[in-house]
Each structure stands twice: as structure tokens, then as C-alpha cells.
Amino acid sequence: MKLRLACLALALLSPPATAQYPNRPIHIVAPFPAGGGYDFLSRLLAAEMTKTFGQPVVVENKSGANGNIGTDFVAKSPADGYTLLMGGNSPLALNVGLYPKLPYDPAKDFDAVSRVATQPNLLAANPGKLPVKSVAELVKYAKANPGKVAYGSNGNGSPQHLAAELLKRMAGIDLVHVPYKGAAPTAQALLAGEVSIAFNIILLPLPYVQSGRLNGLAVASSHRSPLAPTLPTMAELGYPIDIDTWYGLVAPAGTPREAIAKLNAETVRILALPDLKEKTRSQGIELGSSTPEAFAAFLRSDIAKWSKAIREMNITID
């Protein structure tokens, strides 16, 4: 009896395991190669979280299959708050409609932590390859020359690929798709004239638009970018293409709520730091946090939206 009472007292005095979270290193998986937005934002959060938590927060790049490899790895990891995913619209929304046999279910296999950031996509043209200065001129030329305008993308199934396919569908034009392995190769290909046009994250083509080496046509966003306020949105021009590249932090489904709450609070704090907001804004990245509930609702909505659009465009990836 005395032993039982002693054990009960000890249990009451001992805090629950989740109250000690984190008590060992946390890993953030970036499902795309180093140097891109997923990697950059993962390292931004990791550096600040390490200071606050007093535990190492390590970034691991597990790339491949348009983000599926790293995303599936996290989906099947222990739900203990120590393995997280820097997700985004490719692995968490677009791939649902693109891959017939996706090895994970973004809506069921993850618990949302917070939205992290968005990057608008800019449509630019190489004036030496295609001397157009507006979307209207691009559409007119493409209609007169079907199959003769090649567009670059950051890979099959990327937001940039889908933006161009939506333009093809809405404008009734025939464009030729040339996929590249990421944003930087796409930007280089457009500058070199390997392709005539390309949607890309705004940071890469914008300096060349400003210098006159590329013609900026529009942004595929819900609002104009403060980095290029004179460029119209695609919607303003009659083509409602809103496909910002977005990023968000998630954990395996079933992660303790206390861990989710702590991760969310820390993410919200970090993303509100004035120096970080200014630094990332100058790179074309808009930081913005959310509650876990709001991010989960957004994710469900984006999956439904793009699954329908991809089905209508009849795009699949094996």
C-alpha cells in the first residue's frame, strides 16, 4: 500500500513527457534540394528554434519525385514532434491530383503546424526570342503560331507548369512544355533563349526584367507584388490564374497537441521578427503564419481546388 502511494505521489509530481518537449534534436525535412525556398525557409526556422528550444534543430534535404520522397518519409515517421516537414503546394496539394498512386495522403497523414510563406510567380518573356510586352501580345502571337512558343517550368507538376497549362486552357493557345529541374535552371534557360516564356518565382526573373533583359508580363497571384507593383495580375488581364508558391510546416498525424502548440507559437514568433520579414521580402518571399486549424482548412481547400483543375487539364505523372 505504501509503495502504491509512493508511486502515485511520484506520478503526480512528475510532469507529463510532452511538458518537456523538446528534450532532444528536432529534424525539419525539406523535400527539395538545397538552395531553394523549401531549404531556405527550413533553415530560417531551424536557426531561431535552436535558440529558443535549447536543442539542435537540424534540416535534412530528402529530395526527389516532386517532393514525394521527403514528404512520404515524414508521413511515416514517429508522431512525436521530432520529425517535421517543410511542405508546400507541390507535395501537399498539387501532387494529390498529379500522381495516381501517391504514397501518402496529405489531408490524413499530417497535422498542420502553421503556414510559413508565399512566393508569387512572375510570367516573363525573352525579348530576343519572342518580342512581346504583354499577355495580350503573347496570346495573339501564340494563336497565330500554334506549337511554336516553348515555355519553361520548374519541373513536371510544379506550380509554374500548372500556371502555364491553365493559360493554355483559358486562352485557347498551343504552347510547348520544356521542364527543368528547378527554378534556377528554368531562369537560365529563359535568359539563354532555350524557351520563349516561363513562369518562375519572382526573385529569379525580376532583376532581369528590371534590367531589360526579360520582359515582365504579369504575376500569377491574387494581388500585385510590392516588388513589381506595375506588373498586373493574370486575373486583371482576364485570366484568373492564382498560383503562388506557398510553404507550411506540418508534423506526422497524431503528434501530441502540446508539441503542435509549442511549434506553432515559436513559428508565429519567428515569422513576426521585423528583420526577418524585411530580409525575406527583399528576396520575394512574404512571411505569414497561421493557426494550425486555419492551415489545415486551407490545405483541404487547396487540395480540392487543384485536384479538380488538374483533372480537367488531364495532367498526370507516373
Side-chain angles (χ1 to χ4, degrees):
M1 184 66 177
K2 290 182 179 180
L3 180 60
R4 288 183 181 179
L5 289 174
C7 291
L8 178 60
L10 183 61
L12 290 173
L13 289 171
S14 300
T18 52
Q20 301 299 320
Y21 175 87
N23 56 25
R24 54 190 171 89
I26 297 172
H27 293 258
I28 300 178
V29 173
F32 287 90
Y38 290 84
D39 178 72
F40 171 77
L41 291 166
S42 296
R43 295 183 189 281
L44 182 152
L45 289 183
E48 291 295 326
M49 285 181 174
T50 295
K51 299 175 189 176
T52 300
F53 292 155
Q55 294 288 341
V57 181
V58 182
V59 175
E60 296 183 31
N61 298 93
K62 293 184 180 294
S63 60
N66 203 26
N68 287 348
I69 291 176
T71 304
D72 187 47
F73 173 83
V74 176
K76 293 176 173 57
S77 295
D80 53 14
Y82 291 94
T83 304
L84 310 174
L85 174 76
M86 179 59 69
N89 46 351
S90 282
L92 293 181
L94 305 182
N95 287 359
V96 176
L98 289 169
Y99 289 83
K101 298 179 180 178
L102 199 64
Y104 57 88
D105 183 338
K108 296 179 180 179
D109 292 344
F110 297 100
D111 285 341
V113 175
S114 175
R115 283 282 294 269
V116 172
T118 59
Q119 280 184 298
N121 287 295
L122 184 154
L123 174 60
N126 183 314
K129 187 79 171 179
L130 183 65
V132 299
K133 296 183 178 181
S134 68
V135 172
E137 289 181 9
L138 166 62
V139 171
K140 181 179 179 181
Y141 181 91
K143 285 186 175 180
N145 300 273
K148 294 185 178 180
V149 177
Y151 75 88
S153 83
N154 300 357
N156 285 315
S158 65
Q160 298 76 22
H161 175 200
L162 296 186
E165 289 298 313
L166 282 171
L167 177 59
K168 282 176 58 176
R169 181 182 180 86
M170 292 177 181
I173 55 178
D174 182 15
L175 305 175
V176 178
H177 181 210
V178 183
Y180 292 89
K181 294 182 178 180
T186 303
Q188 293 165 2
L190 182 60
L191 283 169
E194 293 178 16
V195 292
S196 299
I197 60 170
F199 285 94
N200 209 338
I201 53 176
I202 193 169
L203 175 65
L204 295 180
L206 185 59
Y208 301 104
V209 169
Q210 294 169 334
S211 69
R213 291 186 63 186
L214 296 175
N215 288 337
L217 307 184
V219 290
S221 183
S222 60
H223 57 277
R224 294 194 181 200
S225 170
L227 293 180
T230 61
L231 284 180
T233 66
M234 293 295 295
E236 289 178 63
L237 303 175
Y239 304 101
I241 302 172
D242 174 9
I243 186 165
D244 285 341
T245 298
W246 60 258
Y247 307 89
L249 194 64
V250 297
T255 296
R257 303 319 297 170
E258 294 87 349
I260 294 291
K262 201 164 188 177
L263 288 165
N264 176 264
E266 179 61 6
T267 301
V268 170
R269 183 194 70 80
I270 293 169
L271 298 183
L273 293 173
D275 57 333
L276 290 184
K277 290 182 77 74
E278 186 57 36
K279 176 183 176 181
T280 54
R281 186 178 293 116
S282 67
Q283 297 184 34
I285 299 173
E286 291 288 334
L287 299 181
S289 61
S290 70
T291 65
E293 294 77 16
F295 183 30
F298 169 80
L299 180 57
R300 290 192 296 270
S301 173
D302 218 44
I303 290 172
K305 169 186 173 181
W306 288 108
S307 292
K308 180 176 182 293
I310 290 166
R311 185 167 58 250
E312 290 174 348
M313 289 186 287
N314 196 31
I315 301 174
T316 59
I317 300 176
D318 294 329

